[in-house]
Amino acid sequence: MRITITSVPVNDQDKALDFYTNVLGFIKKKEVPLGEHKWLTVVSPQEQAGVELLLEPMAFAPAKQYQNALKEAGIPWTTFEVDDVQSEYERLIQLGVKFSITPREAGNVMIAVLDDSCGNYIQIMQLL
């Protein structure tokens, strides 16, 4: 058993695709129209054959409530590993990304939490 796809709910797939590719630096892997929405995935440029991140359309009311509750509590939806949190933070700040938590040590990792502009907080993490 292995993980091949994981998802993050988004309130606007086109806006999410722009943010996750042009700001965070992921690469679009698949885009398959499915009526009102689409099957839309991105991958890391370092692992293009690796795990795909599905930009899941927020079309289910209970999921929207869960997404809102996580954000209101300041809890990230997911975490992405980076080589250098401070450098990534500075790069993203220059691109206008908002952070709820600026870089800080948390045990044996450095973390920061950003707003993906699509309804989620996303944590970036660096192993120390």
Side-chain angles (χ1 to χ4, degrees):
M1 186 179 306
R2 64 181 173 269
I3 298 170
T4 58
I5 297 173
T6 189
S7 65
V8 62
V10 297
N11 52 25
D12 181 321
Q13 284 186 298
D14 293 325
K15 181 179 178 183
L17 180 61
D18 180 61
F19 182 83
Y20 280 80
T21 57
N22 295 320
V23 177
L24 295 185
F26 291 106
I27 297 170
K28 181 171 74 171
K29 177 86 175 203
K30 294 180 185 144
E31 183 171 357
V32 180
L34 298 170
E36 175 183 352
H37 303 291
K38 48 193 150 195
W39 181 266
L40 182 60
T41 66
V42 295
V43 293
S44 166
Q46 290 88 12
E47 296 181 358
Q48 293 182 35
V51 175
E52 296 177 45
L53 179 65
L54 174 63
L55 302 177
E56 182 83 45
M58 184 52 66
F60 183 56
K64 180 68 173 166
Q65 292 169 348
Y66 179 64
Q67 181 191 43
N68 287 338
L70 282 179
K71 192 157 188 195
E72 287 174 14
I75 299 171
W77 186 271
T78 194
T79 300
F80 301 137
E81 185 176 349
V82 297
D83 292 330
D84 183 332
V85 165
Q86 186 65 42
S87 294
E88 193 66 15
Y89 168 78
E90 291 169 10
R91 181 185 79 81
L92 293 172
I93 285 289
Q94 292 297 313
L95 293 171
V97 175
K98 306 290 186 221
F99 281 78
S100 63
I101 296 177
T102 58
R104 64 184 63 172
E105 281 190 38
N108 64 343
V109 297
M110 178 75 72
I111 64 165
V113 177
L114 61 94
D115 187 327
D116 77 351
S117 75
C118 302
N120 308 290
Y121 283 136
I122 304 294
Q123 181 171 270
I124 56 174
M125 177 270 300
Q126 167 193 347
L127 296 172
L128 297 177

